[in-house]
Amino acid sequence: MHPRILEVTQRLVERSRATRERYLQLIRGAASEGPMRASLQCANFAHGVAGCGSEDKQTLRLMNAANVAIVSAYNDMLSAHQPYLHFPEQIKQALREVGSVGQFAGGVPAMCDGVTQGEPGMELAIASREVIAMSTAVALSHNMFDAALMLGICDKIVPGLMMGALRFGHLPTIFVPGGPMVSGISNKQKADVRQRYAEGKASREELLESEMNSYHSPGTCTFYGTANTNQLVMEVMGLHLPGASFVNPYTPLRDALTAEAAQQVTRMTKASGSFMPLGEIVDEKALVNSIVALHATGGSTNHTLHIPAIAQAAGIQLTWQDMADLSEVVPTLSHVYPNGKADINHFQAAGGMAFLIRELLDAGLLHEDVNTVAGHGLRRYTQEPFLDNGKLVWREGPQHSLDESILRPVSRPFSAEGGLRVMEGNLGRGVMKVSAVAPEHQVVEAPARVFQDQQSLADAFKAGELERDFVAVVRFQGPRCNGMPELHKLTPFLGVLQDRGYKVALVTDGRMSGASGKIPAAIHVCPEAYDGGPLARVRDGDIVRVDGVEGTLRIMVSAEELASRELPPAPQGNDLGCGRELFGFMRMAFSPAEQGASAFTSALEHLK
């Protein structure tokens, strides 16, 4: 093992010893000697099976059968989740074949960031993760279940499912992906049209045609944003079946993997004799593995919020510094849009997860000695699933990349380090995804231009006010102020200015999204402006230095001058409309970004 991997893991174990032990006590205490439903009163049990068919009712009266909870984020507006319409029946039939039962325990909300970008609904996004976690807890609260299957893919949905499921960590649990849509037009074509539209050189009709040719069918969007990063993280943590992440929907292999996940989770129950609950899989080693894979692939910056929040739910105290220290020694092995031109289907064809995991294992960058839903040891995940005369089998994955412009071995990486940099200085602490930023653009020192929202920047661009070097400071976008919406609509405008030769950068207490692109962007800066953080005191014309090489974020103003400035009022009117008024209590409970921007941090304090 690489000494840095061991060092960070041990640090995490020591820091989390008390909280992790308390968590394990909780889940081990919740696990009983037999099916949970055996302890229910007759009336409770009767209510729990009243909606079942006679065959399933009889099966559930036999305590050697497994009852599997199905928790789904299905809706048919999200392309990634539309295939889940058919999964419950497939799962139930697969379970009946092994003498078990599946019950649809609950649905969780699933909003699409792609639809809500730049709209008021985006301000519900981080809050939706907490609602998903709570909805998962409600679904599992009936105490009827021996195991669970989680159906979710996109941005806040998988983290929310994880956070909720981990509070029921005594249950064996498998995450069941749906797979990416087949490839549409190239990512380069899509980005080119967006930039030309931002410059007024492409019509809205041309833009719409381009977007609809990009996002065109059921399945996950094919760029390497938060949704596909979720899938990669779940697989490397051992919570998917090996090779399940990036198999397209509505294919025989996808259906076979779904059925196998249903049957495999029954083999992990107490009655099977091979008990492996979720909380025993998600430990310090698994979390370190997830971060290593995130860095090696230049994954979504949203996971600097989600992974600490997931860790907290498992009693583990993870910090950005842990993530940054790992980034220094993990090479970048893949280039998938926005880090390159390829999409996730090209990544899969070039070698995919099996090749990536083998390379990282062989280099001593992943812990092999971990629990997974496929058994003990991560080496199992160097295999790929195939159909052999209709039967699901696994074979060794590729030994070599089939396209080194997309996926490379550790011996020939795109970069010697990962894609994340912790940014720190007198403006606070944030993160930057450097994997998508060319080296010549990673350091910008220029006058600040301050904005209170992304529309103001767009208006300034259209008015021709930004034809110069500058650092855009977009503040009052943190979790407690307005729910921390993604600011992805800034990318085309800033990208145009960078292409015109200007030195531009972004500094914000908001999120930039899993599709953070070629602009140097220090995001998730905390303390946020709403809480009186230094960003609130920046003025137009102040010289700001964003140094993605050294990881520094500074304003060239003395501490005395900065402290003497009057704090501006926070923007008004972002707490009403589009349901935002229902989430005011949650915004006030959000922790700082480095602690996951979670409303549950204080609720889990009793674990410390």
Side-chain angles (χ1 to χ4, degrees):
M1 290 292 297
H2 192 288
R4 179 67 62 82
I5 308 298
L6 294 174
E7 173 195 338
V8 173
T9 305
Q10 188 57 37
R11 177 202 308 166
L12 200 50
V13 169
E14 293 296 330
R15 186 190 307 128
S16 308
R17 192 174 299 281
T19 52
R20 178 63 176 172
E21 182 55 37
R22 176 63 178 141
Y23 173 77
L24 291 175
Q25 288 174 1
L26 283 171
I27 67 169
R28 289 166 182 170
S32 68
E33 291 304 315
M36 293 289 184
R37 63 189 183 280
S39 63
L40 293 179
Q41 298 292 324
C42 293
N44 301 62
F45 178 82
H47 274 287
V49 301
C52 296
S54 58
E55 179 184 347
D56 286 349
K57 282 182 181 177
Q58 185 58 36
T59 301
L60 288 176
R61 296 179 69 172
L62 306 173
M63 293 305 154
N64 62 343
N67 189 24
V68 179
I70 303 167
V71 180
S72 176
Y74 163 74
N75 66 50
D76 62 11
M77 192 202 69
L78 274 72
S79 63
H81 290 183
Q82 189 274 345
Y84 283 147
L85 171 66
H86 309 286
F87 278 37
E89 282 308 314
Q90 293 175 359
I91 288 167
K92 290 178 182 180
Q93 182 55 41
L95 289 168
R96 291 188 187 108
E97 291 171 5
V98 292
S100 293
V101 174
Q103 287 189 293
F104 193 97
V108 304
M111 63 180 287
C112 180
D113 290 16
V115 175
T116 58
Q117 289 285 356
E119 300 295 325
M122 173 54 80
E123 296 181 10
L124 306 184
I126 285 291
S128 79
R129 183 190 67 185
E130 316 301 270
V131 173
I132 291 162
M134 292 188 288
S135 300
T136 303
V138 171
L140 297 177
S141 67
H142 298 96
N143 225 23
M144 283 281 295
F145 307 112
D146 308 289
L149 296 172
M150 298 287 145
L151 279 55
I153 292 172
C154 290
D155 293 17
K156 266 57 72 189
I157 299 154
V158 166
L161 289 169
M162 275 285 283
M163 292 160 67
L166 279 165
R167 305 315 299 170
F168 292 78
H170 59 286
L171 293 177
T173 301
I174 295 179
F175 280 69
V176 186
M181 67 177 70
V182 296
S183 300
I185 66 170
S186 75
N187 288 304
K188 183 180 186 305
Q189 287 176 279
K190 176 177 67 177
D192 286 347
V193 174
R194 285 179 176 176
Q195 287 215 172
R196 289 195 298 109
Y197 179 76
E199 295 178 274
K201 297 177 180 178
S203 67
R204 184 174 179 84
E205 288 75 17
E206 187 177 352
L207 176 65
L208 180 59
E209 182 68 16
S210 171
E211 297 296 335
M212 292 189 72
N213 286 330
S214 301
Y215 310 112
H216 61 93
S217 68
T220 314
C221 303
T222 58
F223 66 89
Y224 190 44
T226 309
N228 283 318
T229 305
N230 282 338
Q231 305 314 296
L232 178 136
V233 164
M234 289 297 99
E235 182 159 339
V236 83
M237 290 179 77
L239 296 174
H240 283 175
L241 293 180
S245 295
F246 302 123
V247 175
N248 301 121
Y250 294 107
T251 61
L253 180 56
R254 175 85 277 157
D255 292 344
L257 285 164
T258 300
E260 179 63 18
Q263 295 181 357
Q264 178 62 18
V265 84
T266 68
R267 302 178 189 120
M268 299 163 58
T269 61
K270 274 186 173 290
S272 74
S274 301
F275 184 50
M276 182 49 61
L278 175 66
E280 304 280 359
I281 293 177
V282 182
D283 62 7
E284 295 88 349
K285 289 181 179 178
L287 284 164
V288 167
N289 283 352
S290 75
I291 297 163
V292 168
L294 178 76
H295 293 327
T297 55
S300 168
T301 53
N302 279 324
H303 284 79
T304 62
L305 303 175
H306 297 325
I307 294 178
I310 289 168
Q312 181 80 228
I316 298 170
Q317 311 302 319
L318 178 73
T319 71
W320 280 350
Q321 196 58 55
D322 297 325
M323 301 180 80
D325 288 348
L326 291 169
S327 182
E328 290 179 357
V329 301
V330 176
T332 300
L333 302 185
S334 77
H335 268 185
V336 180
Y337 186 83
N339 307 330
K341 297 177 182 179
D343 68 21
I344 204 68
N345 291 313
H346 302 141
F347 168 85
Q348 175 78 350
M353 293 299 293
F355 176 80
L356 177 74
I357 291 174
R358 175 181 286 108
E359 283 294 310
L360 293 171
L361 279 172
D362 291 349
L365 294 168
L366 288 176
H367 291 284
E368 186 172 350
D369 181 25
V370 292
N371 297 319
T372 80
V373 300
H376 189 77
L378 195 60
R379 185 67 60 173
R380 176 79 169 76
Y381 284 74
T382 63
Q383 296 183 321
E384 289 185 320
F386 292 90
L387 291 178
D388 185 357
N389 292 321
K391 182 181 179 182
L392 182 63
V393 297
W394 273 267
R395 303 172 188 156
E396 284 303 312
Q399 305 290 318
H400 307 284
S401 171
L402 278 70
D403 188 338
E404 290 198 9
S405 71
I406 300 169
L407 186 58
R408 291 187 181 179
V410 170
S411 59
R412 293 185 297 279
F414 290 100
S415 169
E417 62 166 336
L420 180 74
R421 185 85 73 244
V422 170
M423 307 291 288
E424 189 167 16
N426 61 358
L427 280 177
R429 281 169 63 84
V431 295
M432 179 187 288
K433 181 177 175 178
V434 296
S435 57
V437 182
E440 63 270 22
H441 297 308
Q442 291 182 11
V443 179
V444 174
E445 183 174 319
R449 179 69 191 270
V450 179
F451 302 96
Q452 306 289 71
D453 56 55
Q454 57 182 339
Q455 186 59 49
S456 299
L457 186 147
D459 293 342
F461 174 86
K462 292 171 183 175
E465 299 172 7
L466 302 181
E467 302 287 326
R468 55 186 173 85
D469 296 350
F470 71 102
V471 173
V473 176
V474 184
R475 63 194 184 190
F476 293 108
Q477 302 298 310
R480 284 167 54 82
C481 185
N482 66 351
M484 208 179 191
E486 290 187 347
L487 306 176
H488 186 40
K489 285 187 176 293
L490 299 177
T491 301
F493 302 113
L494 296 175
V496 166
L497 294 167
Q498 182 174 276
D499 289 349
R500 290 176 181 172
Y502 298 112
K503 300 279 281 185
V504 295
L506 172 69
V507 178
T508 181
D509 48 9
R511 296 184 297 128
M512 193 63 180
S513 105
S516 299
K518 63 187 182 181
I519 308 302
I523 62 177
H524 306 175
V525 175
C526 50
E528 62 176 285
Y530 185 81
D531 287 335
L535 284 188
R537 291 181 161 88
V538 180
R539 294 178 178 171
D540 283 344
D542 289 339
I543 302 301
V544 173
R545 182 175 177 84
V546 180
D547 189 333
V549 177
E550 297 296 326
T552 57
L553 179 61
R554 298 194 60 80
I555 181 171
M556 304 308 178
V557 173
S558 71
E560 295 76 18
E561 163 67 15
L562 205 60
S564 70
R565 292 179 176 177
E566 185 177 346
L567 288 171
Q572 301 296 309
N574 63 1
D575 55 352
L576 290 173
C578 205
R580 288 175 290 181
E581 55 274 17
L582 301 178
F583 293 85
F585 76 98
M586 191 177 286
R587 286 197 298 271
M588 289 302 97
F590 280 141
S591 63
E594 186 162 8
Q595 296 175 31
S598 176
F600 303 141
T601 300
S602 59
L604 297 175
E605 284 292 315
H606 69 279
L607 290 175
K608 292 185 178 179

